[in-house]
Amino acid sequence: MSLVPTPSPTVVDQTTLMKKYLQFVAALTDNNTPDDTKLKMMQEVSENFENVTSSQQYSTFLEHIIPRFLTFLQDGEVQFLQEKPTQQLRKLVLEIIHRIPTNEHLRPHAKNILSVMFRFLEIESEENVLICLRIIIELHKQFRPPISQEIHHFLDFVKQIYKELPKVVTRYFENPQVIAENTVPSPEMVGMITSVLVKTAPEREDSETRTHTIIPRGSLSLKVLAELPIIVVLMYQLYKLNIHNVVSEFVPLIMNTIMLQVSAQARQHKLFNKELYADFIAAQIKTLSFLAYIIRIYQDLVGKYSQQMVKGMLQLLSNCPPETAHLRKELLIAAKHILTTDLRSQFIPCMDKLFDESILIGSGYTARETLRPLAYSTLADLVHHVRQNLPLTDLSLAVQLFAKNIDDESLPSSIQTMSCKLLLNLVDCIRSKSEQENGNGRDILMRMLEVFVLKFHTIARYQLVSIFKKCKPQSEMGVADTGVLPGVPATPTVATPALPPSAPPTPVTPAPPPSTAFDRPGDKEDKQTFQVSDCRSLVKTLVCGVKTITWGITSCKAPGEAQFIPNKQLQPKETQIYIKLVKYAMQALDIYQVQIAGNGQTYIRVANCQTVRMKEEKEVLEHFAGVFTMMNPLTFKEIFQTTVPYMVERISKNYALQIVANSFLANLTTSALFRRGAAQTNDHMLTQLENLH
């Protein structure tokens, strides 16, 4: 049976409807009409409000209803019990006002509405104040009314709330009051909407009970406090010149607010309210976001309170409940903005706390699953900018944290690459700090190298296998074996820094924060979704990194050395790591065999292709060879005495790798050593290398 659409009201119907609703609204101020009846009338108006706004009589309708609404709200008594029809009616009228489209029909009424809304902030219940705040925001955004005394009064009111907050926190958490049996508490006693059961006849045991739901007073509500900073920001945007000095007075109040803490004893108390505590943390984080917005405007003033700011932010990271991942995300975003200013240097004394993941990310499952990219990129940006001032102990902690991220396949490849780049930026700092502090910089750099080698192994064993499975042979693609250098395959190359000289820091490019706080599980990158462009970018960064790390290692004193000996031979355990590097890196470099056709299909370049080669591939291979040509000749000999047969085998499967051998043979220092290593293996091996060269 087909559905017949309900016909839209005719002009006559609309006129009748408008008259009816005007009568309903007029009844609001009629003392003889019961509140229950008024509520039903307003519910009908609310349900059909879209028909009202589309009516030709809408403008006239507004002229009648707005004064009635405001009169009803001002003359009525504020209610704090949710079940009372009067409270439900007041809330519904406010919701209808909020739903009125903010167009030119409403403009003449905006001033009167705002006047009432501002006054209600101080006297109304939490539920109604939250609606009043939304109305204030919408009307200011749309109509941008001129500055008025009410706005100055509002800002003073917000400042007073912040000043009284320590007393409110003490009342709600440190000295919570027990609600006596069969009593309805006052709105000042409850910090959030609270339900109590009260007997209608307390003297009888079988007495009927009724539920009373108490709404807190808006001016004492932590939920309301969380919404106030955004309105202060809006006011600053609209009336910057008029209230610049007034907003500066918020800075010390903000610092006091983020420094507030609920004691450990209170959090263990049986009356401790976790939900109310989450509201308190939310209000603090919203306040910190307010600071993040104004910090550049009042940077000198904020600098005077920098110690409080740092302590408050660390407390918030520690105290943010594990289950509130959305709050921690907002906290990290605010921290990211604050750390872009010169005040980030104030965090140097407490960097060890930021390297503690239990503080930075927390213990919540959702936070760990969704917020690590944002947290690590924020921390990486901070470390990058203050690295020159960090002691060796903090640099070691940075290496420990970000090295772990490099081989964490649950993180996006952009974060893995970012972690690599950050570690490279730390190499020179580790070298110089190790020299200044007579520390173990060489050991730290060797740990870093081991992680890079392990990442090459992971790419070779897992990512390449996954990528190659999706590829077709070049013969099936009908791609001609031309001698053209492809910067051409339609492969979008990921921007990476130019290949560095001997020891240069490359700028860290932090990954952007996630667009949403909760990613779908399917969005999480794993070994099977590693992309060709991601893999190339990561391999290039790893190769560049290994050379930079090697320079750092050879520039650091070895354990037990009284003074630095340049270009010394590596220790046997260090040499073994480089032997593994040859093995795994020369497998991982096969990523450049993968080409992308115009239709997006990946295919594998023929193994004996000697001319078709990306320019980037040639640079990376030459750079990889450069890792070994800078070494002590005896170390070079030790490495390639055992790896020449493996190199020949790899070159036979990927002819582009002969660039590495050619670089050795063309270098005056390494040529004879490399030939000798091949000859010692067997003469046939040397002949093969000579033919390749």
Side-chain angles (χ1 to χ4, degrees), residues 248-261:
S248 70
E249 296 170 11
F250 278 92
V251 172
L253 297 174
I254 290 170
M255 299 307 177
N256 292 338
T257 298
I258 64 174
M259 282 283 290
L260 281 176
Q261 273 198 108

Side-chain angles (χ1 to χ4, degrees), residues 517-566:
F518 301 97
D519 293 330
R520 298 188 305 273
D523 290 339
K524 190 174 75 170
E525 187 169 275
D526 57 26
K527 297 181 179 72
Q528 303 307 313
T529 60
F530 208 68
Q531 301 299 314
V532 175
S533 57
D534 297 329
C535 195
R536 280 182 185 164
S537 174
L538 188 50
V539 167
K540 180 177 180 180
T541 303
L542 288 168
V543 170
C544 294
V546 167
K547 186 172 183 182
T548 303
I549 295 168
T550 301
W551 169 85
I553 290 169
T554 56
S555 303
C556 276
K557 285 195 299 186
E561 280 185 350
Q563 60 182 30
F564 170 66
I565 304 171

Side-chain angles (χ1 to χ4, degrees), residues 392-403:
L392 194 60
T393 50
D394 284 349
L395 291 170
S396 179
L397 289 173
V399 171
Q400 184 177 333
L401 177 62
F402 287 97

Side-chain angles (χ1 to χ4, degrees), residues 64-83:
H64 284 85
I65 69 165
I66 296 296
R68 296 273 186 175
F69 279 168
L70 298 181
T71 300
F72 163 73
L73 290 169
Q74 292 180 93
D75 292 350
E77 186 180 347
V78 176
Q79 300 292 324
F80 295 96
L81 287 179
Q82 220 174 39
E83 291 79 13

Side-chain angles (χ1 to χ4, degrees), residues 56-216:
Q56 293 179 355
Q57 294 91 26
Y58 172 61
S59 180
T60 306
F61 182 75
L62 275 187
E63 290 177 9
H64 284 85
I65 69 165
I66 296 296
R68 296 273 186 175
F69 279 168
L70 298 181
T71 300
F72 163 73
L73 290 169
Q74 292 180 93
D75 292 350
E77 186 180 347
V78 176
Q79 300 292 324
F80 295 96
L81 287 179
Q82 220 174 39
E83 291 79 13
K84 283 206 170 186
T86 309
Q87 161 55 17
Q88 295 173 22
L89 183 57
R90 292 177 71 82
K91 182 182 176 184
L92 183 57
V93 169
L94 287 168
E95 286 174 340
I96 292 173
I97 294 174
H98 181 237
R99 287 172 58 196
I100 297 174
T102 49
N103 53 29
E104 289 305 308
H105 295 300
L106 186 61
R107 186 184 290 274
H109 310 286
K111 183 179 179 181
N112 291 336
I113 294 173
L114 284 171
S115 180
V116 174
M117 296 304 109
F118 276 125
R119 191 161 66 82
F120 277 12
L121 297 183
E122 301 183 35
I123 61 172
E124 264 290 357
S125 67
E126 176 189 271
E127 276 190 336
N128 293 354
V129 167
L130 291 172
I131 303 170
C132 292
L133 290 173
R134 291 199 291 270
I135 294 170
I136 290 170
I137 291 172
E138 287 302 317
L139 294 183
H140 276 86
K141 277 184 178 178
Q142 187 64 31
F143 299 128
R144 297 174 175 264
I147 187 81
S148 66
Q149 190 56 40
E150 286 166 342
I151 290 168
H152 286 286
H153 184 73
F154 165 73
L155 294 174
D156 289 338
F157 167 66
V158 176
K159 282 189 282 187
Q160 191 59 35
I161 288 180
Y162 276 118
K163 289 175 184 175
E164 296 293 324
L165 184 59
K167 295 178 184 176
V168 173
V169 171
T170 300
R171 180 188 306 167
Y172 291 159
F173 299 108
E174 304 296 340
N175 299 316
Q177 297 181 35
V178 179
I179 300 172
E181 191 176 357
N182 284 320
T183 61
V184 178
S186 70
E188 288 77 19
M189 274 185 68
V190 295
M192 59 189 302
I193 295 175
T194 305
S195 296
V196 294
L197 290 174
V198 178
K199 291 182 177 180
T200 53
E203 66 281 359
R204 291 173 47 194
E205 289 187 11
D206 59 345
S207 170
E208 180 187 351
T209 59
R210 288 184 182 174
T211 300
H212 293 279
T213 306
I214 303 93
I215 312 168

Side-chain angles (χ1 to χ4, degrees), residues 213-508:
T213 306
I214 303 93
I215 312 168
R217 189 175 293 279
S219 58
L220 298 175
S221 164
L222 295 172
K223 274 189 166 64
V224 168
L225 177 59
E227 300 301 321
L228 292 176
I230 192 171
I231 305 186
V232 178
V233 168
L234 177 62
M235 297 303 175
Y236 185 83
Q237 290 171 339
L238 295 176
Y239 313 113
K240 188 181 303 183
L241 298 177
N242 304 89
I243 63 173
H244 180 82
N245 292 334
V246 177
V247 173
S248 70
E249 296 170 11
F250 278 92
V251 172
L253 297 174
I254 290 170
M255 299 307 177
N256 292 338
T257 298
I258 64 174
M259 282 283 290
L260 281 176
Q261 273 198 108
V262 176
S263 68
Q265 294 89 338
R267 279 182 275 177
Q268 298 300 319
H269 197 277
K270 63 180 180 180
L271 293 178
F272 177 67
N273 188 324
K274 283 187 176 181
E275 194 176 341
L276 184 59
Y277 182 68
D279 288 343
F280 169 57
I281 297 293
Q284 287 185 299
I285 291 173
K286 295 283 187 182
T287 303
L288 184 70
S289 298
F290 175 28
L291 177 66
Y293 176 80
I294 64 171
I295 191 167
R296 289 190 181 276
I297 304 167
Y298 303 99
Q299 188 162 324
D300 291 342
L301 177 59
V302 173
K304 296 177 182 177
Y305 300 91
S306 58
Q307 296 303 312
Q308 285 176 274
M309 178 184 72
V310 172
K311 187 176 179 182
M313 287 174 64
L314 289 171
Q315 284 179 184
L316 283 173
L317 284 168
S318 299
N319 295 337
C320 188
E323 63 275 10
T324 56
H326 63 291
L327 293 181
R328 187 172 288 272
K329 179 185 177 184
E330 192 166 346
L331 173 56
L332 288 169
I333 291 172
K336 197 175 185 75
H337 285 289
I338 291 168
L339 293 172
T340 60
T341 69
D342 293 339
L343 293 173
R344 60 184 159 227
S345 60
Q346 300 298 316
F347 289 83
I348 292 173
C350 53
M351 289 297 294
D352 57 325
K353 293 183 175 63
L354 292 175
F355 290 129
D356 184 345
E357 290 181 277
S358 66
I359 293 175
L360 182 67
I361 301 167
S363 58
Y365 174 80
T366 304
R368 293 198 63 80
E369 286 294 298
T370 60
L371 298 184
R372 285 189 302 155
L374 173 59
Y376 293 144
S377 62
T378 301
L379 182 57
D381 195 40
L382 172 61
V383 173
H384 171 69
H385 284 94
V386 302
R387 66 188 188 280
Q388 300 288 353
N389 300 309
L390 295 180
L392 194 60
T393 50
D394 284 349
L395 291 170
S396 179
L397 289 173
V399 171
Q400 184 177 333
L401 177 62
F402 287 97
K404 183 176 64 176
N405 293 345
I406 290 174
D407 210 38
D408 186 342
E409 296 305 314
S410 66
L411 289 171
S413 62
S414 58
I415 297 296
Q416 296 175 36
T417 304
M418 178 208 72
S419 298
C420 289
K421 292 178 181 178
L422 176 68
L423 292 183
L424 302 191
N425 281 333
L426 300 182
V427 170
D428 192 40
C429 299
I430 292 170
R431 181 197 62 78
S432 61
K433 290 292 180 181
S434 179
E435 186 177 331
Q436 292 170 22
E437 301 175 18
N438 196 25
N440 62 336
R442 189 182 178 98
D443 291 342
I444 297 171
L445 293 174
M446 286 307 304
R447 288 209 315 267
M448 196 187 295
L449 178 66
E450 284 187 87
V451 170
F452 275 53
V453 172
L454 179 61
K455 188 61 184 177
F456 276 124
H457 177 250
T458 304
I459 291 171
R461 182 163 183 178
Y462 298 108
Q463 276 92 14
L464 280 186
V465 171
S466 172
I467 289 171
F468 275 36
K469 279 180 182 177
K470 300 172 186 175
C471 294
K472 293 184 178 180
Q474 184 173 344
S475 56
E476 292 183 20
M477 297 294 294
V479 178
D481 185 6
T482 65
V484 182
L485 275 173
V488 181
T491 313
T493 56
V494 175
T496 55
L499 300 176
S502 47
T506 51
V508 172

